Amino acid sequence: MPEDKSEFLKGTLDMLILKIVALGPIHGYAISQRIQQISRDFFQVQQGSLYPALHRLENRGLLGAEWRATETGREAKFYSLTKKGRKQLDAEMASWERISDAVALILRTAE
Amino acid sequence: MPEDKSEFLKGTLDMLILKIVALGPIHGYAISQRIQQISRDFFQVQQGSLYPALHRLENRGLLGAEWRATETGREAKFYSLTKKGRKQLDAEMASWERISDAVALILRTAE
DNA sequence: CATATACGCCTAGAACAGCTAGGCGTCAAG
DNA sequence: CTTGACGCCTAGCTGTTCTAGGCGTATATG
């Protein structure tokens, strides 16, 4: 019986990525670092989750991509939020609020 | 493009079920009604999600099951929380707190 | 009387997200 | 020279959920 080591709420990754990108253009590798850092090492985004997610979001027109050079001189794919992505982020954040409220409602039900 | 109608956070269903059952022995059909009712019609548990979930939980030894009669005289399968299920529920609730806190942390990050 | 609706259980199949576990190439440090 | 960080990627498995059916009984409604 395997314990769940890596905790991640399915369905929230896209939102978290959009939110990070909303802070400014950033490349994939840095996104995962940023998420991990801001969440105080709680979330660890696996690359096998990250890159497919980025491609999904790009294909859906929520992210724009552009190859540019990093501060350290490397080539990297920088993502930025499109207008559509902005809307989607807002919607998902509102949705998250409603959902987590509803969950809290149930969890705090005592008979 | 269609909005997502049915909102449900993958991975929370088991926890919600355990929580409802923790309130007292209850049968499947009533569980879905209870979840819907407590969440003020926000969550609608599909039967195709509900019953497989119940079987999973029973197989994992988190729920015990017993056929009994309803108040209205029908036969129904009443589930109750096992000791192991209680522990699991506590763990999942704690986990939910940590996760939702971490998500909130990211969502509230402003640069 | 017929038939629809609620109750109450179930399953098979598809869809989809995420993880595992690989791979590639470059550069700096030891 | 080899390890590790950087930075990208993919194929395939697993697991949860939804869709869309099915079954049987009771009660209400036309």
Side-chain angles (χ1 to χ4, degrees):
Chain A
M1 343 253 90
E3 340 302 318
D4 23 87
K5 191 64 162 295
S6 60
E7 320 236 12
F8 223 109
L9 229 346
K10 331 257 177 188
T12 53
L13 180 56
D14 287 7
M15 177 178 65
L16 296 182
I17 291 176
L18 290 176
K19 174 64 185 175
I20 297 298
V21 175
L23 301 176
I26 185 173
H27 62 269
Y29 193 85
I31 292 176
S32 69
Q33 290 181 320
R34 208 91 171 75
I35 290 181
Q36 183 168 344
Q37 162 203 347
I38 298 182
S39 70
R40 294 175 192 145
D41 279 346
F42 189 75
F43 289 133
Q44 299 206 0
V45 186
Q46 308 303 323
Q47 299 199 342
S49 311
L50 175 70
Y51 292 109
L54 287 172
H55 301 158
R56 275 201 308 268
L57 295 171
E58 188 183 354
N59 288 335
R60 288 171 59 196
L62 307 177
L63 293 182
E66 184 190 6
W67 286 90
R68 287 215 307 266
T70 312
E71 295 177 351
T72 59
R74 288 158 179 274
E75 283 297 304
K77 202 170 173 184
F78 280 77
Y79 291 93
S80 51
L81 206 59
T82 65
K83 207 170 290 186
K84 199 173 163 194
R86 176 80 244 172
K87 279 184 133 178
Q88 179 69 18
L89 173 57
D90 291 341
E92 289 198 19
M93 285 175 67
S95 178
W96 165 259
E97 288 300 325
R98 291 198 313 273
I99 292 175
S100 55
D101 283 353
V103 170
L105 213 52
I106 293 176
L107 291 189
R108 279 171 212 147
T109 299
E111 187 90 13
Chain B
M1 311 291 72
E3 338 302 320
D4 22 86
K5 190 65 161 295
S6 62
E7 319 235 11
F8 224 108
L9 230 345
K10 332 258 175 188
T12 52
L13 180 57
D14 287 7
M15 177 177 65
L16 296 182
I17 290 177
L18 290 176
K19 174 63 186 175
I20 297 299
V21 175
L23 300 176
I26 186 173
H27 62 269
Y29 192 84
I31 291 175
S32 70
Q33 290 181 318
R34 209 88 170 76
I35 290 181
Q36 184 169 342
Q37 164 203 346
I38 298 181
S39 71
R40 294 172 191 147
D41 280 345
F42 189 76
F43 290 133
Q44 300 206 1
V45 186
Q46 308 303 324
Q47 299 198 344
S49 311
L50 175 71
Y51 291 109
L54 287 172
H55 300 157
R56 275 200 309 270
L57 295 171
E58 189 183 354
N59 287 336
R60 288 170 60 195
L62 306 178
L63 293 182
E66 184 189 6
W67 285 90
R68 286 216 307 266
T70 313
E71 296 177 352
T72 59
R74 289 157 179 274
E75 283 297 304
K77 202 171 174 185
F78 281 76
Y79 292 93
S80 51
L81 205 60
T82 63
K83 207 171 289 185
K84 198 173 164 193
R86 176 81 244 172
K87 278 184 134 178
Q88 179 70 18
L89 173 57
D90 290 342
E92 289 198 19
M93 285 176 66
S95 178
W96 165 261
E97 287 300 325
R98 291 198 313 272
I99 292 177
S100 56
D101 283 354
V103 169
L105 213 53
I106 294 176
L107 292 190
R108 280 170 210 148
T109 299
E111 187 90 12

